[in-house]
Amino acid sequence: MFNGSRKYSPLPSSPSSSRASSSSSLPAAPRRSPRALQRHSSLLSQYSSLLESYTEGEIRQLISALVERYSQAMNSGGHELPLFPRAGSRRKRARARHKPCALKELEVSVSELGLGYESDETVLFRYCSGTCEAAVRSYDLSLKSMRSRRKIKKEKVRARPCCRPLAYDDDVSFLDAYNRYYTVNELSAKECGCV
């Protein structure tokens, strides 16, 4: 809508926005130059200074355009405000979020495991991936409620089940870059489940 160089391009007028502009008798506000955003300031202060750099008329046009988009979305049966529509990406993300908990595998070198060993040997690393929406129990719902009511404040608790290994594969043995022999246990998942 508004670009960084502050060249002003009016939004397409709608009947509601033209009525609003004709009924107000406000004089044209002077233009402000954009303010530099501080790198270390909070997100709220960045947005605040960004909005302060626009004139009152520009903000009114922005709000009327957002209201118009919202009413169009609601009239067409939409349930969300399509500010930045991307074709199909929301559906893809929703499908990706709801893949059930399952065992996956990946062939990696021992060095890539991040355990501090230097070795070019490769191992089959099995891991658990997916969501556990179907495994939500009364405990999880109650815990979520207690956290939202701030009954549980400082403890780190998860209010939903996690996709984790239920059992591990056999131990993995390998030679490192200095010809030393190592054995690592509980490295690869054998069975996954919602815990």
Side-chain angles (χ1 to χ4, degrees):
M1 232 175 257
F2 301 107
N3 57 18
S5 62
R6 302 280 294 146
K7 291 180 184 172
Y8 179 72
S9 62
L11 296 171
S13 64
S14 67
S16 62
S17 63
S18 62
R19 257 187 269 122
S21 62
S22 63
S23 64
S24 68
S25 59
L26 295 174
R31 298 205 180 249
R32 294 185 205 165
S33 61
R35 297 181 183 182
L37 298 178
Q38 301 291 328
R39 283 188 181 192
H40 301 292
S41 63
S42 70
L43 189 60
L44 182 61
S45 64
Q46 288 179 3
Y47 280 111
S48 173
S49 63
L50 179 67
L51 284 174
E52 286 176 4
S53 69
Y54 291 106
T55 64
E56 184 177 334
E58 290 171 329
I59 291 176
R60 284 183 185 210
Q61 283 189 331
L62 174 65
I63 291 171
S64 67
L66 291 175
V67 168
E68 185 177 332
R69 280 189 182 183
Y70 179 78
S71 63
Q72 286 174 354
M74 295 313 285
N75 290 338
S76 67
H79 300 289
E80 296 182 29
L81 183 61
L83 290 177
F84 305 102
R86 292 182 192 160
S89 63
R90 181 170 289 155
R91 282 189 300 259
K92 288 177 188 171
R93 285 194 308 265
R95 279 195 301 268
R97 272 197 303 264
H98 296 294
K99 287 185 179 175
C101 182
L103 186 67
K104 309 261 176 132
E105 60 183 38
L106 188 64
E107 191 172 321
V108 295
S109 73
V110 172
S111 299
E112 291 175 314
L113 292 172
L115 299 175
Y117 300 108
E118 291 180 39
S119 176
D120 293 331
E121 287 193 40
T122 59
V123 294
L124 192 60
F125 178 69
R126 292 186 179 97
Y127 62 98
C128 300
S129 175
T131 60
C132 294
E133 300 296 326
V136 172
R137 293 178 175 83
S138 299
Y139 166 82
D140 303 306
L141 297 173
S142 298
L143 186 59
K144 185 175 181 179
S145 174
M146 292 300 112
R147 287 182 65 200
S148 68
R149 294 170 191 252
R150 301 196 191 277
K151 298 278 186 185
I152 300 173
K153 296 179 185 176
K154 297 187 178 182
E155 292 135 321
K156 291 188 178 183
V157 292
R158 290 190 62 97
R160 67 181 130 186
C162 301
C163 181
R164 299 277 301 159
L166 299 177
Y168 292 92
D169 259 343
D170 296 334
D171 297 345
V172 175
S173 299
F174 59 90
L175 283 173
D176 71 356
Y178 307 104
N179 289 328
R180 289 181 289 209
Y181 189 76
Y182 291 99
T183 299
V184 179
N185 58 359
E186 294 186 347
L187 175 68
S188 232
K190 183 177 186 180
E191 181 185 348
C192 296
C194 295
V195 183

